Amino acid sequence: MGTDTLKIGKYELDSRLIVGTGKYPTMETMRAAHEASGAAMVTVAIRRINLDNAEGKTLLDYIDRARYTILPNTAGCHSVKEAILTAQLARELLETDLIKLEVIGDAQTLHPDTRETIAAAEALVKNGFTVLPYVADDPIACKQLEEVGCAAVMPLAAPIGSGLGVCNPYSIRIIKERANVPVIVDAGVGTASDAAIAMELGVDALLMNTGIALARDPVLMAAAMKHAVLAGREAFCAGRMAKRLYASASSPMHDLIST
């Protein structure tokens, strides 16, 4: 495959796995899981960074800024105004134009509000951000987000934190076929087989957090996800055999040399 890098706008990454920072039992476990995952990008919820920690440390102190590209996100936002303000705070705090845009429309399912997401994305793009929006697995919404200038689209595989895997592979395939920007599956991946299936659909990358953080052994699961993403990507690039209704002998009898 040669050099298989992920390009998002002006950013180039040597891993197609993006990992999160929430729900880990300890900061040390999180840091070890990040290392085991082989990820080059880590996402951080700006509204959950506590700058008044009594120990003088924040989440950012456990992330090697020289090693990982930080992707701040607007988790917890429910309106265009909230999302834009959070993105502006992220740019000031982290000195980056990257933003993972989340505008939640339903508190129970945590599904995104499509209309608010598109409006926020358009405003942020005009304000110079590199926008990666979390969105439903809707080909139309993904195309609209691309058209307003998003650097990638991030359709969900299943509800956030559900671990249900890729619930609608057909929608994900359509989104990928029509996209001219990277497609990054976000939310719902629970185990390594889910990650491999998503990558075999041809998506450009995966973002995952809960599937790693809530595993019995987060560090080992992070390593498993690394290998699954690589295997799925290589299988997609290799091109799978055609499916057949009937058997086809591995050692066919025709064209044999007679003796």
Side-chain angles (χ1 to χ4, degrees):
M1 292 174 58
T3 302
D4 185 40
T5 56
L6 172 64
K7 296 180 180 180
I8 303 172
K10 65 184 180 183
Y11 297 90
E12 190 166 322
L13 307 171
D14 60 6
S15 171
R16 292 177 180 271
L17 175 59
I18 303 170
V19 292
T21 52
K23 301 182 180 179
Y24 285 92
T26 66
M27 290 293 106
E28 290 75 15
T29 300
M30 179 197 75
R31 184 161 53 189
H34 288 174
E35 183 174 354
S37 74
M41 179 176 278
V42 174
T43 187
V44 173
I46 290 300
R47 301 184 73 177
R48 297 185 182 128
I49 295 177
N50 181 8
L51 298 177
D52 298 319
N53 187 287
E55 298 178 358
K57 282 191 173 185
T58 73
L59 170 64
L60 297 175
D61 292 306
Y62 293 89
I63 301 173
D64 184 352
R65 299 284 296 276
R67 180 173 183 176
Y68 302 106
T69 299
I70 294 185
L71 173 63
N73 67 64
T74 65
C77 293
H78 296 267
S79 69
V80 173
K81 182 178 180 180
E82 281 185 312
I84 292 175
L85 176 59
T86 303
Q88 291 169 338
L89 291 172
R91 181 159 63 182
E92 182 176 344
L93 175 64
L94 299 173
E95 299 180 336
T96 181
D97 65 340
L98 281 165
I99 195 72
K100 181 196 171 194
L101 175 62
E102 296 183 31
V103 186
I104 299 302
D106 183 82
Q108 184 176 27
T109 65
L110 299 180
H111 275 218
D113 184 318
T114 300
R115 182 174 61 181
E116 295 282 286
T117 299
I118 294 171
E122 186 170 15
L124 289 170
V125 168
K126 289 179 179 178
N127 202 11
F129 284 90
T130 299
V131 182
L132 289 71
Y134 164 66
V135 65
D137 54 346
D138 177 357
I140 296 172
C142 286
K143 180 53 68 173
Q144 290 172 334
L145 287 162
E146 179 184 328
E147 290 171 350
V148 302
C150 291
V153 291
M154 305 182 77
L156 56 80
I160 292 174
S162 67
L164 291 172
V166 182
C167 291
N168 194 340
Y170 308 105
S171 288
I172 299 296
R173 284 183 60 185
I174 292 170
I175 291 167
K176 177 56 187 172
E177 286 175 4
R178 295 181 177 181
N180 296 305
V181 295
V183 176
I184 303 170
V185 162
D186 180 15
V189 172
T191 190
S193 58
D194 298 334
I197 287 169
M199 293 302 297
E200 287 174 8
L201 292 173
V203 302
D204 298 278
L206 297 183
L207 189 152
M208 62 183 72
N209 181 73
T210 307
I212 296 174
L214 294 190
R216 186 172 64 250
D217 185 334
V219 178
L220 186 57
M221 182 60 80
M225 293 296 191
K226 171 185 176 179
H227 296 305
V229 168
L230 287 170
R233 175 67 177 172
E234 290 181 354
F236 170 75
C237 292
R240 67 158 292 146
M241 61 167 284
K243 293 183 179 181
R244 308 172 190 271
L245 183 60
Y246 298 104
S248 176
S250 298
S251 300
M253 299 301 294
H254 61 274
D255 297 330
L256 292 179
I257 298 175
S258 58
T259 57

